[in-house]
Amino acid sequence: MDEQKIREALQVVVHPKLRKSLIDIGMIRNIVIDDDSVTLSLALRSERSPLRKVFIREIEKAVGDVPGVSSVQVEVIALSREEFDQLFPRAPLKGIEKVKNFLAVASGKGGVGKTTVAINVALALVKQGFKVGLLDADVYGPSIPVMLGISAVLEQKDNMIIPQEKYGLRIMSLGMTAGRGEAFIWRGPLVSKMINQLLGKVTWGELDYLVIDLPPGTGDPSIAIANALPRCLVLMVTTPQEVALADVRRALGLFQKTGQPIVGLVENMSYFLSSPSAEPIEIFGRGGGEQLSKETGLPLLGSLPIDLELRQGGDSGVPLLVSSADSSTGHIFHTIAHKIAEQTRRLE
């Protein structure tokens, strides 16, 4: 009995979808022979895989039938994301075939100004010469149409949705499909399906960046984006106080587990200036973004003040990067966008 005989015996254990033997595609590995015992590893995406018991049973029978083998032990190990994607490549979503980079703007909790950051970072990227789209992936409370003053009805062509264009952005939101104040009620499976439609059924065209405004938390929309776009960059938004930082840490944990690269942190509502020459008033505490940056090793890309023009821009439909791009807060957004572009080039 030798390893070659074991490998030959395992040729009969075939993956039903790939129609190839598990030994040939590397899902069976680490074969060890000790006298009359054989130990090997079975690599699966998850230990809860529905094929787990079937594969183990077939492996035990195939190897057990080899003369001289008295016992077979199968250890289940995890395929890496890269291995899984190589074995089971996803069919590309039609709408995003020509999008170079994806940037999800996320936060652990609501009320930190994530949508304001997403809109103004997207506009800052436009002003730096990039072609940019903006997707409102907050399927529960889409607010981008209000914050950009969009009320036009969506159009379709060749079974694809045509995004709205404003301020140099291509924009899509579920808020464009329902009346103002109408409730959005989604359950888990429908959320993933809707996210995929917002990506694949919209004619985004050629874009350097598709900026995706995620809802707060670590629920179904964030998981759906992570699954659909495994190389999506993530920008985390927080405020200085500890309650926000605690939630952001949880959200960071989700994206780190799913393998999304995190380009950095933005601290919003860092301070308030009663006048240009006044001392900063740190209403929500201080140093939270810096502390989180030190903990995680992620760069703090910028600290944004509590700015009346930011709030007015969200209410009027004219964002700060349109009305006051050269203001001090506007320059902070330009710096954040510049750093994101630099990080993107490093990760390519």
Side-chain angles (χ1 to χ4, degrees):
M1 180 177 58
D2 57 27
E3 183 175 334
Q4 184 58 35
K5 289 183 179 178
I6 301 299
R7 298 180 70 88
E8 289 172 359
L10 286 167
Q11 290 291 328
V12 300
V13 185
V14 175
H15 195 287
K17 182 178 180 180
L18 300 177
R19 300 180 184 275
K20 295 179 181 179
S21 69
L22 300 191
I23 190 73
D24 287 344
I25 59 178
M27 292 179 67
I28 295 176
R29 57 186 74 166
N30 305 328
I31 298 172
V32 176
I33 301 170
D34 185 9
D35 293 333
D36 56 356
S37 298
V38 176
T39 304
L40 56 82
S41 300
L42 169 64
L44 300 173
R45 175 68 186 273
S46 166
E47 288 191 3
R48 297 189 297 274
S49 168
L51 292 171
R52 179 178 183 272
K53 291 183 179 179
V54 174
F55 284 154
I56 290 176
R57 185 167 58 247
E58 291 181 359
I59 290 169
E60 289 176 341
K61 183 178 187 314
V63 178
D65 286 345
V66 175
V69 175
S70 63
S71 69
V72 183
Q73 185 173 346
V74 180
E75 176 194 12
V76 177
I77 60 175
L79 284 166
S80 69
R81 174 175 282 278
E82 291 75 17
E83 289 173 328
F84 183 83
D85 289 343
Q86 189 173 4
L87 285 171
F88 305 97
R90 296 182 180 89
L93 295 167
K94 183 179 179 182
I96 56 174
E97 286 177 336
K98 298 179 181 179
V99 178
K100 294 179 182 176
N101 301 292
F102 300 90
L103 175 68
V105 182
S107 67
K109 70 185 295 295
V112 300
K114 173 184 50 58
T115 300
T116 298
V117 171
I119 289 172
N120 285 284
V121 164
L123 288 167
L125 287 167
V126 169
K127 290 181 180 297
Q128 292 180 22
F130 295 107
K131 295 178 182 177
V132 184
L134 179 60
L135 169 59
D136 188 349
D138 190 343
V139 296
Y140 306 114
S143 55
I144 279 179
V146 174
M147 296 179 73
L148 290 177
I150 296 174
S151 56
V153 178
L154 289 169
E155 298 179 1
Q156 292 194 38
K157 183 179 180 181
D158 299 329
N159 247 3
M160 298 287 285
I161 299 169
I162 301 172
Q164 294 289 323
E165 295 201 23
K166 194 169 184 179
Y167 304 133
L169 294 170
R170 293 175 194 164
I171 306 154
M172 177 60 199
S173 169
L174 280 181
M176 301 173 184
T177 66
R180 185 172 292 190
E182 185 174 332
F184 289 89
I185 303 171
W186 303 99
R187 293 195 169 212
L190 288 177
V191 170
S192 296
K193 183 178 180 181
M194 182 53 64
I195 293 292
N196 281 328
Q197 287 183 345
L198 291 172
L199 292 168
K201 293 293 185 180
V202 176
T203 53
W204 291 109
E206 291 187 9
L207 294 177
D208 296 303
Y209 288 93
L210 178 58
V211 178
I212 304 168
D213 180 33
L214 289 175
T218 55
D220 291 315
S222 297
I223 295 169
I225 289 292
N227 288 333
L229 305 172
R231 291 172 182 81
C232 180
L233 308 175
V234 179
L235 176 66
M236 296 299 305
V237 181
T238 186
T239 49
Q241 68 268 47
E242 180 56 38
V243 67
L245 296 175
D247 289 337
V248 170
R249 290 184 185 100
R250 296 187 188 97
L252 284 171
L254 165 68
F255 292 115
Q256 287 167 343
K257 286 179 182 176
T258 54
Q260 272 68 37
I262 299 166
V263 292
L265 310 168
V266 170
E267 183 182 85
N268 195 22
M269 307 181 201
S270 297
Y271 54 90
F272 173 71
L273 294 175
S274 58
S275 69
S277 60
E279 286 292 316
I281 303 170
E282 293 163 328
I283 296 173
F284 295 112
R286 64 179 300 179
E290 290 182 1
Q291 175 189 331
L292 192 60
S293 177
K294 289 177 182 176
E295 283 180 20
T296 60
L298 298 170
L300 179 62
L301 303 184
S303 297
L304 294 161
I306 299 171
D307 191 322
L308 181 61
E309 285 189 280
L310 269 179
R311 194 275 301 165
Q312 289 173 334
D315 289 345
S316 68
V318 183
L320 181 131
L321 259 287
V322 175
S323 63
S324 301
D326 291 329
S327 64
S328 58
T329 303
H331 282 294
I332 296 172
F333 277 115
H334 284 300
T335 299
I336 292 169
H338 180 71
K339 290 179 178 178
I340 289 169
E342 284 186 337
Q343 289 276 71
T344 303
R345 284 191 286 270
R346 289 194 194 104
L347 291 168
E348 286 177 348

